[in-house]
Every structure is written in C-alpha cells, then in structure tokens.
Amino acid sequence: MNKAQGAMSYDELRGAIAQRHRALSGRLQQIAEFVLDHPTDVALGTVAEVAQRSGVPPSAIVRFAHALGFGGFTEMQQVFRSRLVAGVAPSYKARLARMKSEEKSVLGRQPAAVLSRFVSEAQSSLVTLSQSVHARELDAATAILAKARDIYLLGLGGSFPVATHLAYVLRKLGRRVVLLDGTGGSIHEQSHAATGEDALVAISFRNYYPDTARLFPELVARGVPTISITDSLLSPIVEGARVVFEIQDMPEPALRTLVAPMCLVQAMAIGLDLAAD
Amino acid sequence: MNKAQGAMSYDELRGAIAQRHRALSGRLQQIAEFVLDHPTDVALGTVAEVAQRSGVPPSAIVRFAHALGFGGFTEMQQVFRSRLVAGVAPSYKARLARMKSEEKSVLGRQPAAVLSRFVSEAQSSLVTLSQSVHARELDAATAILAKARDIYLLGLGGSFPVATHLAYVLRKLGRRVVLLDGTGGSIHEQSHAATGEDALVAISFRNYYPDTARLFPELVARGVPTISITDSLLSPIVEGARVVFEIQDMPEPALRTLVAPMCLVQAMAIGLDLAAD
DNA sequence: GTGCGATTAGAATATTCATTCCATTTGTTA
DNA sequence: TAACAAATGGAATGAATATTCTAATCGCAC
C-alpha cells in the first residue's frame, strides 16, 4: 500500500511479509502464511489456483498483492518466479546483464576487470558442470575408454586445446592415443585404422567445425564406441554416440574459456586410471 | 502427432526433441534449438514471448508442441516447469552437503567423485588467480601485445593446450599469430623471423619442457618483448621477460586442469582487443 | 442493540492469452 | 515449367485469467 516496491528479491519479499504480518487483517494474514509456505505454488499458479489452495476467494489474493505494494498479483508473482530461475541457473540472467553493462563502461575495458569477469564466468560454468554431469555417464565413459586399444581424439578449431590436453594426460597415464589434428595431410588418413576395438572422444562446440561434423559419422558407422562432449543435443556429434556430455551456456567462441570441458576431460582421464587398478 | 506423451520428465523431453530434430521442418528445428537452449524462457514465458525471442510467429510455437505430441503449448510448458521446481527442491545446502560427503567417502575413486574434486580444485585455483594477478602486470602485457606485429606463442608439452587456445582467440580477433609447435621440422626455424617488433608469450610449468627452456633465451636475446606465464620465479622462462605471471600451486602435470592459465590468456586477449578501440 | 468503518466475497469486466483457421509461400515431383 | 503437397505467417476466435466493483458482512465502540 505504502511502500513502492520496484524490483525486489525473493528474500527481501519474505522479510517484508514477515514484518508486516501482524499489521495485516485476518484474511491477509492467512494468505501470508500460505504464500511463505508454498512459494512454488505462487510462482507457477494462477490467481484462482492459489486462491483455492489457500482457501480464500481470488480477490483476496489480489488485495494481498496490493497490500504489499505490488500493482497486482502478476507483479508479485515475478518475485516468486525469480526464486525458481535462481535455483536452476545461478544468476544466469544477472551475469549476462552485468557483463553487458560492464562491457560498455570504462571500468570493463580495463584488463583487470576483464580478468575478474572471466574468472567469475568460469566459476559459474564449473558449478553448472558439476550439476549437469551425472555419475552414470561418467562411469559409462570410463568403461568405454578402459576397453579401448587406441583412443582417438577429435577436437578441432576452438576445441583443439581440450583435445590436446586430454591427449597429454592420457599419454602420461600410459594410454595409446591418436590425436586427429590434420597435420601432414588428411584427417581421414589419421583415423583410418580406428575400429570397434578402439574408442573415440569427440569434442565440438558451436559453430561446429565442418571437418568434425564430416568425420564423426564415418567413425560411428565403422563401429567405434564414441564419447561426445558438446554444447547441445542437436550438435552433429550426438547421434550415434554412446555417451554424450552436454555442457550448456557456452559463450560465443572468442569468449569461452574452455574451463568446464577441460575439467571434464581431466576427470575422465584420471577416473579411468583409478578405476583400472 | 503420434506418440502419446502422458507424463514426461524434462530429460526425457530433451531426448525426444534431439531425436526428432532431423525429421522436423525448418521452422520447427529452429524452435527446437531455442527451447533446448532456453528452457527457462519456455517454462515462464507466454507463447508470444517465446515466439518473439526465438524469432518465429506464435503459431509456429503451438505447431511445435503439437509435433511433439502435446495437446498445445500449455501442456508442453508443464514439462519445462517441472524442471524449475526440481531445481529448487534439493536446496543448495543439500547439494553441497552431498558433494562434501562423496568427497570423503570410499567412493572417492568413482569418476563422479573425481570430477567434483577437480571442480573444487579448479574453483580455488581461480580464486588464487584473481588474487595474485595485478592490474599493472595485465596492463603491461596488453601494451606489449598491442604494439606487436606478430605474436609468437611458445607452449609445449603440458602447456600446449594453453598456447593453442590463445592462438585461437587471438586469430579470431584478427591478430597475426605464430604458434611454435615444432611440426614439420625444428621449432627454431618457426621462430626465426621474430624480431623486436614482435612479441612472445611463453607458457611453461614444471617440469619445464626442454625445448622451451632452450628456445626462450634465444628469443629474449634477439630483443623480442616477452610475457611469461609460469609457476615459479625460478623457471627458465622468467629471466629476461618483460612481464611474468606467476601461477602458484600448480599440481603435478597429470593432475593439472590448466583452468587458471586458460582464464588468464583469455583475459589477456580480450583485454587487448577492448583496449585497442 | 445501534451505527460506523473496515473488511470481505462474489459477480462483472476488461485484458491477456493460447489456439485455430485460412490465404500465401515454399519446396518437390512430374 | 506446371501442379501438387507441405509448411508457414498472421489474423480471427474463443477461452482463461487478473482485476475491479459493489453489496453484504463483520468487528467494535458507544
């Protein structure tokens, strides 16, 4: 009623409700309690649904929103929805918005600010990684690698660093590795010896490197067990893969730090080594 | 259309979309890509909003839902909403606790536990990075690169992924880059043309790759301005460098994720590009 | 018990929204 | 090139929804 609630976080709203609870009328108190106990219902439901579940008429819900300073139910609902999106993607939108604004400010142009931006970007990509990769996939991947005679690595363009890193670690651990880098001629020749006894790890992000998209199906067709690391289930290296690791929210090519895939391949390699004992 | 999609989990829906993607028409493929990339928008938005953000007419969105076997957009949206509620249910605390317990349990050898170990290790290495790198060094480094005609990159062995990544980004930004990788003969020949007009970025960690230790002094002696990224001030690529980035606490070669140096070179490259305007 | 202000419920309304339909375009086969 | 089928975009439609309005009710002081 009195306070102008422009943009409000969910936690702030909780505090505000708790504070005013005593001052509210009977019905409104009842709604306050329901709303604090069932934030998800408020976020996703309609006025009628919330009204029914909390046992009050729809108009009371709207009055409640008004009493809190919102223009209406819809406005209040936005705050509850923000809590949901925060739960799945740690401040994805906020991050983007912050980057956009910083980019244009004078501060954002200083190298030090650029570094801290990439650091925080990398941090959140690591959080996402550990959330989105499931144990089952990792187990399956290491099982494939454990049985392989030779391990073929396919990662070109922007993904090449990931492939070289995996190659390095696997070789350190005594595995036989063929890095498909296309030096000294066609990449087809390098992969010509691959069979079902071997294994392939393919890495590719948007925009998918043409050679990768071309070679991958050939190897799959030849029966080579395949592990794919990519950023979308629609990428050209998904179909036919035994295991797919999807790493979401990859920024545009020039801005990606490759932190998440680097960590992932590292864990695959070391996990393989530990499981072998 | 054909499949009766009663109750469906979000992951199942993702799989279904990926599977049918090829069989869909152009517009519908475009929508498929958008919804996989922006599940939150679909969960919370209206048909009109989703349509606008994905750049298609609203009717196409409905047709997409139909093509997937749903009765309409609203029905499909329920699946996307289920993902949001699932995301908040096991709260941060629970998830964090689970990670902690896994880490210490006997299951430490399982790949999933290995991954979470590398992730947390990478997290702390990023924190260290942003603390130990100072603005002055970054400014000096970008200044050197800005004046360079060609940028030579020297990073062999375990550091090679970092060098290739830097090469990729710098080239994307239109810089002339020479990656010293030793293919097709001696690495000396590749670097033969470097002069004081150019610049060198050298990356090396223990155990320092012999070729790096050999080539580095030569280039310095020839007057090439140099930026070094290494793990100790006693490393062979420190003496003579204009700027030295010391990244501490690098684990042994097979265990390092290269997360910190990857971030650093990324920031250097982008910082250079932004400063150039 | 009476009168008054605050509160409430439910119907009425206006808006937003998903869906459908059809004319037009696009792509394909003959 | 012509004819056909599939796909597309945009307007029309009807349902669902939030909000407002008003009459009725409640609580309370006197």
Side-chain angles (χ1 to χ4, degrees), chain A residues 40 43-45 81-90 92-93 103 108-120 122-124 126-127 129-131 133-136 138-139 142 156-166 168-169 172-173 179 181 183 206-207 209 231-234 238-239 246 248-249 253-260 262-268 270-275 277, chain B residues 10-11 14-15 17-19 21-22 29 32-34 36-41 43-45 53 81-88 92 95 99 108-119 122-124 126-127 129-130 133-135 138-139 142 157-162 164-166 168-169 172-173 179 181 183 207 253-260 262-264 266-268 270-275 277:
Chain A
T40 303
L44 261 30
R81 292 191 165 185
S82 74
R83 161 176 166 277
L84 287 187
V85 307
V88 285
Y92 178 64
K93 278 184 186 164
E103 202 159 318
R109 306 176 80 90
Q110 292 181 353
V114 175
L115 176 62
S116 72
R117 224 176 58 197
F118 279 115
V119 166
S120 66
Q123 298 265 18
S124 71
L126 287 172
V127 172
L129 175 72
S130 59
Q131 284 175 359
V133 170
H134 298 98
R136 187 163 21 89
L138 269 172
D139 290 338
T142 52
L156 302 170
S159 307
F160 189 59
V162 182
T164 59
H165 182 234
L166 181 54
Y168 177 82
V169 177
K172 277 262 172 192
L173 299 174
L179 179 65
D181 57 2
T183 51
R206 268 182 292 241
N207 305 327
Y209 206 78
D231 59 352
S232 164
L233 293 179
L234 304 180
V238 167
E239 192 174 322
E246 186 191 13
Q248 285 165 310
D249 294 340
L255 293 179
R256 60 175 68 128
T257 55
L258 295 179
V259 159
M262 292 290 273
C263 252
L264 177 60
V265 299
Q266 181 85 40
M268 264 175 47
I270 301 297
L272 167 66
D273 195 55
L274 290 176
D277 301 340
Chain B
Y10 174 68
D11 283 328
R14 284 181 73 84
I17 293 176
Q19 202 173 2
H21 180 253
R22 297 191 326 164
Q29 285 190 17
E33 287 155 25
F34 179 86
L36 287 186
D37 278 348
H38 306 89
T40 303
D41 288 343
L44 261 30
R53 283 182 204 169
R81 291 191 166 184
S82 74
R83 161 176 167 272
L84 288 187
V85 301
V88 282
Y92 299 102
R95 248 184 290 137
M99 271 185 64
R109 301 173 78 89
Q110 291 186 348
V114 175
L115 176 62
S116 73
R117 229 178 51 204
F118 278 117
V119 166
Q123 299 266 20
S124 69
L126 287 172
V127 173
L129 175 72
S130 60
V133 169
H134 296 98
L138 269 172
D139 290 338
T142 52
S159 307
F160 189 59
V162 182
T164 57
H165 183 234
L166 181 55
Y168 177 82
V169 177
K172 277 259 169 194
L173 299 175
L179 178 64
D181 57 2
T183 51
N207 304 322
L255 294 179
R256 58 176 70 129
T257 56
L258 295 178
V259 159
M262 292 289 273
C263 252
L264 177 59
Q266 181 86 39
M268 265 176 44
I270 301 296
L272 166 66
D273 193 56
L274 290 177
D277 301 339

